[in-house]
Amino acid sequence: MHEKSIQTLEYPKILERVAREASFSASKELVLALEPATSLEEVRERQAYTSEAVHLLDVQANASVGPARDIRALIARAAREGVLTPTELVEVLNTLRSAAQVARLLEKLDPDEFPLLRSLGEAIPERPHLIRRIEETVNEDGEILDSASPLLRRLRFEIRSATQRLQERLRTIVNELAPALQEPIITIRNERYVVPVKVENRSLVRGIVHDQSSSGATLFVEPLVIVEMNNHLRQLQIEERQEIERILRTLSHEIGREAEALTAMVERLAEFDLHLAKARYSRQLRCSEPRLNNEGRIELRGARHPLLSGRVVPIDFRIGHDFFMVVITGPNTGGKTVALKTVGLLTLMAQAGLHIPAEDGSEIAVFEEVFADIGDEQSIEQNLSTFSSHLSRIIEIVRQIEDWHERSRPAISGKGAHELVASSIRGSEQVPPILVLLDEVGAGTDPSEGSALARAILSFLLERRITTVATTHYTELKAFAHEQPGAVNASVEFDVETLSPTYHLSIGLPGRSNALAIASRLGLDEEIIERAREFLGSAGVRMETLLEGLQHERKAVADERFRLSMERAEAEHQRRQLEEERHRLERERVRILNEARARARREVEEVQAQLARIKLDVHRVNLTRERLDQARRQVRQLDEKLELLPEPAQSQPREERDELSEGPLQVGDLVRVLNFGQNAELVSLAPERGEAEVQMGALRFRVPLENLRRLGGRQAAEHRSRRQAPAIVLPRAEDRPEVSMQLDIRGWRVEEALEQLESYLNDAALAGLVAVRIVHGKGTGALRSAVREHLAKHPLVKSYQPAPAREGGDGVTIVSLSA
């Protein structure tokens, strides 16, 4: 891409901020070398890596590469038969351990949720044998261990023994020669044990002088009786040093043989840390993953410039749908340049694989080239550029566009600019993968010539259908954007009352410079302002008046839209309240009806029992006429009582019974659930178990086949035409299923667990449970996230929360069911 434009848009500053989130130098280098990709497939893969890393930080907040270091220089030295120091071996060891930990972490991830990071983990080389060898050789402080080799262990044992014997002999000498010594101590000079002797007593101690104190009053003498013992100790220490050198050389050689694999390991760790750094930056700025296209469409929702601090006003921006050129106008300091930079910088960030600081649903086009000529007159970074430097950069941009145009397609002759642009909008030509950003195009010279030059430049870009965003103060360019197909005006708003910009960007409406209005508000003499209006000319005054009227109308429309949205929200709130009240009354009605039917059923059963007893007495006993008449009267009274009882819940009106069909049941049929007295949809059949699964409103449950009857054609058609939610009928207490208060789905696959959870929630609701426990475990968090996402959308779930720590913590979810 155009290097100067990348610098102008301050893309390197973004990389510097992302690099601060990286953990070690190798990944920081990758971040700082991150260039925007120009292939749609590559950009999509980069964005997917970042999204997976964000999700990983959501479920594993402490995910990192640990104490890994960039050991490639050490590896290269070892490959050239160089010897690594113990401290350098510790760095290699920590990096090897980090690689093993990262590989294990990525291996445990759900392949459906983290396919790219799983593949990256599989590509990390692991060398457990090197970890064991280094752990046997050095400790965390970089000291060589006795376990490094059998010879080293023996030599150190002998050194400790020789040192002990030598010190015991010296203590005896110190006691014997105490009057001749400066102090009764043992010290070391030139790696040999000595005693401090007073100068005047030198003749009393036979031995070798190794040093003298700075004052000259003390000589450090090695007594002759311990010379051989010192010699023996020094010999052992030399052999120890040689053995350590051999151990380090051998271990360094082993590391050098694995140089290729270890280098790849560091590179994979750096790549993983790169994705984590992008994810941390995304979370820090509350970014989102944009949709991508290669058709020149940009749609930013609530976009923020990532380098601005303090209160940042987000902007909405779109281009590439019905137009591919936007001309932004408005007053100075109104935010035109910031809007221009935001579009360009977010495009570069997205193509680099970074999430963008914008709302979900934003869309970014992938471009091969991004050109920016921004003078930074509002001094976001640099000073005002001269007209010649502006023109030189535009000339360079024009030449590169012409080169691309010639390479990509033959020149189209015989078409005017109007016809060419119109055909481009209809989609008959390839969209050039080029984005051009021009700040104050044509500025810095005579206004009339600058305006003409700016119009010519924009016409050139419009004819070639280059995606272009430009800012200007020229009134002629406002008219140009209004008249030309494929171009549109935009404006940054300014509050004349407070003399301050609002920084809001409006697409479709040209902006006003507000120079005369600002001058009037600041107190400039009205006579001067009126004379300025005369100099402005009638056309200019009409344009300013028209723009002012359009802005007032637009504000009125926005206010009306806001008022209507508030009224719609209030109406929706009331509708939901009425709907909840209707459901509550319906549940109450069903409860009362079921209780009445239950009482009726019990009374019917009592009457039927009495009738049976009477009839049995009639058949078994020779009754007198009076007794027989009494029995008949009782039967008549019971019959009359039966007629007064309410109809049982499982019975249907005659017209409904007439509409029940006895044909074979099929999935998708509308059926009558006899014991509930309600209609439902047949979801599945299990003839071998004599069961079927039906959907009744929000509930799905299993019922015996003998409890179902298929609805006839007329009633089924009426049921479908009504399309209203069926009443929820709660079963009788004696018909409710027995359901456990807890569902344990630990170790299940997500799909199987969610299917079992759906069935369990339905059964729990039918059983009248008000709260249940879902045991899913902690693990990687994938099953927990899936369960809670399912609960959040389930119509039977009132609320849910993690269990207290003593009852399972985040491995258990407590679910409250709707009454």
Side-chain angles (χ1 to χ4, degrees):
M1 277 194 177
H2 191 238
E3 182 61 30
K4 179 62 177 175
S5 297
I6 288 178
Q7 296 291 334
T8 298
L9 292 171
E10 301 175 292
Y11 172 72
K13 289 187 177 181
I14 298 295
L15 296 186
E16 290 173 5
R17 297 194 176 190
V18 178
R20 295 174 194 166
E21 305 299 326
S23 298
F24 71 124
S25 59
S27 52
K28 291 181 187 293
E29 290 177 6
L30 286 183
V31 172
L32 295 175
L34 192 61
E35 296 184 354
T38 57
S39 164
L40 179 62
E41 291 72 21
E42 184 178 354
V43 175
R44 280 178 175 159
E45 183 180 59
R46 290 184 177 189
Q47 287 287 341
Y49 266 117
T50 306
S51 296
E52 287 189 18
V54 170
H55 186 25
L56 177 61
L57 291 178
D58 290 338
V59 299
Q60 295 278 346
N62 58 347
S64 71
V65 295
R69 294 291 180 268
D70 186 3
I71 58 172
R72 287 176 293 186
L74 304 181
I75 296 168
R77 174 147 52 90
R80 296 192 301 269
E81 297 186 356
V83 179
L84 303 183
T85 66
T87 303
E88 291 170 339
L89 287 176
V90 172
E91 291 187 12
V92 175
L93 175 61
N94 288 335
T95 306
L96 287 166
R97 286 173 174 169
S98 296
Q101 291 171 356
V102 169
R104 284 195 297 271
L105 169 66
L106 301 183
E107 182 183 9
K108 295 177 182 177
L109 298 180
D110 188 333
D112 296 329
E113 296 183 39
F114 303 94
L116 295 175
L117 291 182
R118 283 267 305 203
S119 299
L120 178 59
E122 293 170 358
I124 297 178
E126 296 184 62
R127 292 298 182 268
H129 66 281
L130 281 181
I131 294 177
R132 288 193 301 271
R133 284 283 290 114
I134 299 175
E135 287 177 341
E136 293 170 352
T137 303
V138 297
N139 61 17
E140 299 294 337
D141 298 325
E143 299 171 346
I144 303 297
L145 299 172
D146 294 353
S147 57
S149 76
L151 177 57
L152 182 62
R153 181 183 292 109
R154 180 179 64 79
L155 287 172
R156 286 187 169 174
F157 176 77
E158 292 181 1
I159 288 172
R160 286 191 292 271
S161 299
T163 301
Q164 184 177 0
R165 289 193 301 271
L166 179 58
Q167 289 178 347
E168 289 175 354
R169 183 74 181 91
L170 277 171
R171 279 194 291 271
T172 302
I173 293 174
V174 167
N175 292 333
E176 294 174 351
L177 301 177
L181 301 181
Q182 195 70 258
E183 290 181 85
I185 62 172
I186 303 170
T187 185
I188 296 176
R189 287 294 186 273
N190 299 326
E191 298 184 4
R192 299 180 75 88
Y193 284 93
V194 296
V195 292
V197 179
K198 297 177 182 178
V199 172
E200 61 271 19
N201 297 328
R202 168 71 184 85
S203 59
L204 300 178
V205 182
R206 298 181 59 194
I208 302 171
V209 177
H210 286 279
D211 199 1
Q212 187 175 12
S213 67
S214 57
S215 64
T218 305
L219 298 175
F220 296 96
V221 179
E222 177 185 2
L224 290 178
V225 293
I226 65 165
V227 169
E228 283 303 318
M229 298 179 71
N230 258 330
N231 289 343
H232 178 63
L233 179 60
R234 289 291 298 129
Q235 180 63 34
L236 290 175
Q237 290 173 341
I238 292 170
E239 292 179 11
E240 177 196 26
R241 188 182 306 118
Q242 292 173 344
E243 176 62 9
I244 288 174
E245 291 176 356
R246 185 195 66 79
I247 291 170
L248 294 177
R249 186 179 299 105
T250 302
L251 187 52
S252 299
H253 185 59
E254 291 181 29
I255 293 172
R257 286 201 301 267
E258 299 281 359
E260 184 176 351
L262 296 182
T263 301
M265 177 193 71
V266 174
E267 291 172 352
R268 297 292 82 75
L269 282 177
E271 184 180 351
F272 175 62
D273 196 44
L274 163 69
H275 301 316
L276 288 181
K278 293 189 297 180
R280 294 188 189 102
Y281 186 71
S282 173
R283 296 176 67 179
Q284 185 183 108
L285 267 67
R286 305 188 310 280
C287 296
S288 64
E289 178 184 358
R291 301 197 308 271
L292 300 169
N293 68 82
N294 57 0
E295 300 167 1
R297 289 192 312 276
I298 300 176
E299 183 171 354
L300 300 176
R301 301 176 182 176
R304 311 178 304 278
H305 194 291
L307 296 178
L308 295 180
S309 58
R311 180 179 174 271
V312 180
V313 178
I315 64 169
D316 294 335
F317 180 86
R318 57 188 173 87
I319 193 172
H321 295 273
D322 303 321
F323 50 87
F324 46 88
M325 177 177 287
V326 175
V327 178
I328 305 176
T329 51
N332 289 329
T333 73
K336 300 189 301 296
T337 302
V338 172
L340 199 68
K341 277 196 164 187
T342 301
V343 174
L345 185 55
L346 266 57
T347 297
L348 296 178
M349 289 175 62
Q351 293 187 214
L354 298 170
H355 287 177
I356 61 174
E359 295 176 1
D360 291 336
S362 296
E363 186 171 13
I364 290 287
V366 175
F367 296 100
E368 288 185 11
E369 284 290 355
V370 175
F371 297 111
D373 175 35
I374 299 177
D376 285 324
E377 292 182 345
Q378 277 62 52
S379 65
I380 286 182
E381 188 68 23
Q382 301 171 353
N383 295 324
L384 176 67
S385 300
T386 63
F387 173 73
S388 59
S389 65
H390 273 292
L391 194 58
S392 298
R393 195 176 301 179
I394 290 175
I395 291 171
E396 181 185 0
I397 293 172
V398 168
R399 285 174 177 169
Q400 295 199 38
I401 290 173
E402 284 288 18
D403 290 343
W404 183 92
H405 194 71
E406 292 299 326
R407 292 195 311 270
S408 300
R409 54 187 176 184
I412 300 175
S413 59
K415 285 188 177 182
H418 231 72
E419 185 180 356
L420 180 62
V421 171
S423 64
S424 297
I425 294 174
R426 292 192 298 268
S428 61
E429 293 192 63
Q430 178 186 357
V431 179
I434 298 172
L435 173 64
V436 174
L437 307 169
L438 302 175
D439 188 31
E440 299 295 349
V441 57
T445 185
D446 177 77
S448 58
E449 292 184 357
S451 174
L453 182 60
R455 181 162 184 158
I457 293 170
L458 294 183
S459 296
F460 170 86
L461 298 172
L462 192 63
E463 290 172 4
R464 286 153 182 79
R465 206 188 182 197
I466 303 298
T467 303
T468 305
V469 187
T471 68
T472 184
H473 282 288
Y474 292 134
T475 302
E476 293 82 353
L477 295 188
K478 302 175 187 178
F480 169 83
H482 178 71
E483 295 167 355
Q484 296 296 325
V488 71
N489 277 298
S491 62
V492 289
E493 300 174 3
F494 189 89
D495 190 339
V496 180
E497 296 298 323
T498 62
L499 297 180
S500 60
T502 66
Y503 302 109
H504 288 111
L505 181 68
S506 299
I507 302 291
L509 183 68
R512 303 167 59 205
S513 296
N514 294 299
L516 299 183
I518 293 173
S520 177
R521 287 284 299 167
L522 291 175
L524 186 63
D525 190 278
E526 285 297 325
E527 182 180 350
I528 298 177
I529 293 175
E530 287 301 322
R531 183 170 296 182
R533 293 185 189 278
E534 294 175 5
F535 292 152
L536 182 62
S538 59
V541 173
R542 285 199 303 272
M543 172 64 77
E544 287 295 309
T545 303
L546 175 62
L547 291 178
E548 184 177 3
L550 286 174
Q551 288 182 343
H552 282 306
E553 291 180 8
R554 190 183 185 98
K555 185 177 185 303
V557 169
D559 292 342
E560 180 66 15
R561 184 183 296 116
F562 176 75
R563 185 183 64 80
L564 292 175
S565 67
M566 295 298 293
E567 291 180 356
R568 183 165 60 250
E570 177 63 23
E572 179 65 19
H573 176 67
Q574 294 181 358
R575 185 195 66 77
R576 285 197 300 269
Q577 286 185 326
L578 291 173
E579 187 71 14
E580 292 174 0
E581 182 66 15
R582 185 183 70 80
H583 282 300
R584 188 188 66 78
L585 292 174
E586 180 65 19
R587 289 194 297 270
E588 183 67 16
R589 184 189 70 81
V590 169
R591 184 186 65 79
I592 295 172
L593 181 60
N594 282 342
E595 290 179 356
R597 287 174 173 170
R599 287 196 302 270
R601 186 178 295 106
R602 287 194 297 271
E603 293 184 15
V604 167
E605 291 172 354
E606 292 175 3
V607 169
Q608 289 174 342
Q610 291 182 32
L611 283 174
R613 288 194 299 271
I614 291 172
K615 291 178 181 179
L616 185 62
D617 291 343
V618 169
H619 286 91
R620 291 184 177 181
V621 182
N622 294 326
L623 297 176
T624 64
R625 180 179 298 277
E626 294 174 357
R627 177 61 177 157
L628 183 58
D629 290 340
Q630 182 183 359
R632 287 173 177 170
R633 283 195 303 273
Q634 290 180 353
V635 170
R636 282 197 300 272
Q637 290 173 359
L638 291 174
D639 286 339
E640 291 171 359
K641 189 174 183 180
L642 278 174
E643 292 175 358
L644 296 176
L645 291 176
E647 184 180 358
Q650 66 268 25
S651 62
Q652 299 88 28
R654 179 176 181 81
E655 62 270 21
E656 289 189 9
R657 290 199 301 270
D658 293 341
E659 275 296 305
L660 293 181
S661 173
E662 296 296 333
L665 295 174
Q666 294 182 354
V667 173
D669 284 347
L670 287 176
V671 296
R672 187 75 166 178
V673 184
L674 299 182
N675 60 338
F676 289 166
Q678 292 293 323
N679 298 337
E681 182 179 351
L682 184 60
V683 177
S684 65
L685 281 168
E688 66 280 2
R689 298 197 304 270
E691 291 182 344
E693 190 173 10
V694 296
Q695 182 83 32
M696 184 185 296
L699 298 178
R700 177 181 290 194
F701 49 92
R702 294 183 293 274
V703 295
L705 285 174
E706 61 267 16
N707 252 345
L708 300 179
R709 293 292 184 273
R710 186 161 60 88
L711 290 178
R714 179 176 62 82
Q715 192 162 347
E718 290 175 356
H719 182 83
R720 289 192 176 94
S721 66
R722 287 195 298 268
R723 291 291 184 187
Q724 62 183 12
I728 300 175
V729 178
L730 300 175
R732 299 172 300 157
E734 56 268 26
D735 291 338
R736 293 179 179 177
E738 293 185 5
V739 180
S740 171
M741 294 287 291
Q742 175 172 298
L743 174 64
D744 191 342
I745 53 175
R746 286 175 292 183
W748 290 39
R749 290 182 61 82
V750 171
E751 296 81 4
E752 299 171 350
L754 293 183
E755 182 178 351
Q756 181 65 22
L757 176 62
E758 177 69 26
S759 176
Y760 174 73
L761 291 176
N762 290 337
D763 291 345
L766 287 173
L769 300 181
V770 296
V772 294
R773 289 165 48 91
I774 310 299
V775 182
H776 42 65
K778 297 180 181 178
T780 63
L783 182 57
R784 177 184 65 228
S785 299
V787 166
R788 292 180 179 173
E789 182 178 351
H790 188 76
L791 293 174
K793 299 182 292 185
H794 202 284
L796 294 177
V797 176
K798 182 179 180 181
S799 64
Y800 64 89
Q801 61 184 2
R806 64 179 181 275
E807 297 179 14
D810 219 23
V812 178
T813 298
I814 306 297
V815 183
S816 297
L817 299 176
S818 300

